Amino acid sequence: MADLAALVKHHEENAVRAKAVSRLFVLIFLLYPSLTNKIFEAFVCRDLGHGHMVLEADYTVDCNSTEYAALATFCTALVMLWPVGMPTALFVAMFRVRKKIKAGEPDTLETFGFVLGDYDRDHWYWEVIELSRKLILAGLIGLVGRGSIAQAVVATVIAFLFFAVSVREQPYKKSTMNWIKLFSEFQIFGVLLMCIVLQGRPSASTP
């Protein structure tokens, strides 16, 4: 009886721990996009002319000042901790228990239930791929050549690569979800392609 009671207690503790971790993942995923965008805003400066660079999010911040240098250093550390560090930590945590995920171990599936979602078990890592896509297209790509054709071209190529990978892997359990995913990825690619076309057109004032 003592062994049975200990086993039940151990199972209950695992269930509570799994639910707590799962809810933590929900909170992290809700905060990830907004916090990531806020962090990357610290690296976007605007030239007002005559070498006067100000932070686009706050014109009172001079990008040539020592205060901004300290801010940029701090935000660089935040990038490594949050936009890059969080997906990396998630991948490492899931990689350690990947065999249990593939085997369908209940406590492990409950712990990572929100992350696994509708993906099949062979694609346990796919949410990390999605986070990486969002990090590149919504964060990193905005730091180089902002508003330029080159930026649009790079973003279009990256979007097409993610579309191609989705076509090849089809990570969802249901075929309908895979088709929805492919349609959304192709839509992003199409929008970016249109941006290249529009940016490449000569303006009306051009002789």
Side-chain angles (χ1 to χ4, degrees):
M1 285 294 293
D3 291 339
L4 180 59
L7 183 62
V8 171
K9 183 179 180 181
H10 178 70
H11 177 73
E12 290 177 347
E13 289 176 351
N14 286 341
V16 170
R17 188 183 302 110
K19 289 180 180 179
V21 173
S22 180
R23 289 173 182 173
L24 177 62
F25 280 135
V26 173
L27 179 62
I28 288 174
F29 275 74
L30 289 175
L31 294 175
Y32 185 80
S34 58
L35 286 181
T36 297
N37 289 336
K38 285 296 181 183
I39 293 172
F40 278 108
E41 283 181 1
F43 301 101
V44 181
C45 292
R46 185 171 184 176
D47 188 358
L48 298 182
H50 306 290
H52 187 200
M53 303 286 292
V54 295
L55 190 65
E56 191 166 289
D58 185 355
Y59 278 23
T60 63
V61 179
D62 185 353
C63 291
N64 296 319
S65 65
T66 55
E67 290 80 4
Y68 175 75
L71 174 65
T73 301
F74 176 70
C75 288
T76 299
L78 287 182
V79 167
M80 301 307 298
L81 180 66
W82 182 255
V84 175
M86 198 280 286
T88 302
L90 176 61
F91 176 78
V92 171
M94 297 181 72
F95 182 79
R96 290 176 176 175
V97 295
R98 66 190 185 284
K99 293 182 179 178
K100 293 182 179 180
I101 293 175
K102 291 182 178 181
E105 202 273 325
D107 289 337
T108 304
L109 292 180
E110 186 173 4
T111 299
F112 296 99
F114 182 78
V115 182
L116 294 172
D118 295 320
Y119 305 121
D120 61 50
R121 293 174 190 170
D122 288 332
H123 292 90
W124 53 268
Y125 54 85
W126 201 259
E127 193 61 42
V128 178
I129 301 292
E130 286 296 305
L131 289 175
S132 300
R133 180 180 65 84
K134 294 174 183 177
L135 172 61
I136 295 171
L137 292 178
L140 295 177
I141 199 70
L143 301 180
V144 182
R146 192 174 180 85
S148 65
I149 295 179
Q151 183 193 42
V153 170
V154 172
T156 303
V157 171
I158 293 172
F160 180 78
L161 289 176
F162 277 105
F163 168 74
V165 171
S166 297
V167 171
R168 181 179 183 274
E169 295 295 326
Q170 299 193 20
Y172 290 94
K173 298 175 184 176
K174 296 181 179 179
S175 59
T176 52
M177 291 297 296
N178 283 313
W179 280 109
I180 292 172
K181 172 64 175 173
L182 294 179
F183 177 75
S184 63
E185 292 282 2
F186 186 78
Q187 205 171 29
I188 294 172
F189 167 72
V191 169
L192 290 170
L193 195 61
M194 286 298 297
C195 289
I196 296 175
V197 174
L198 292 174
Q199 285 182 311
R201 291 176 61 187
S203 62
S205 61
T206 302

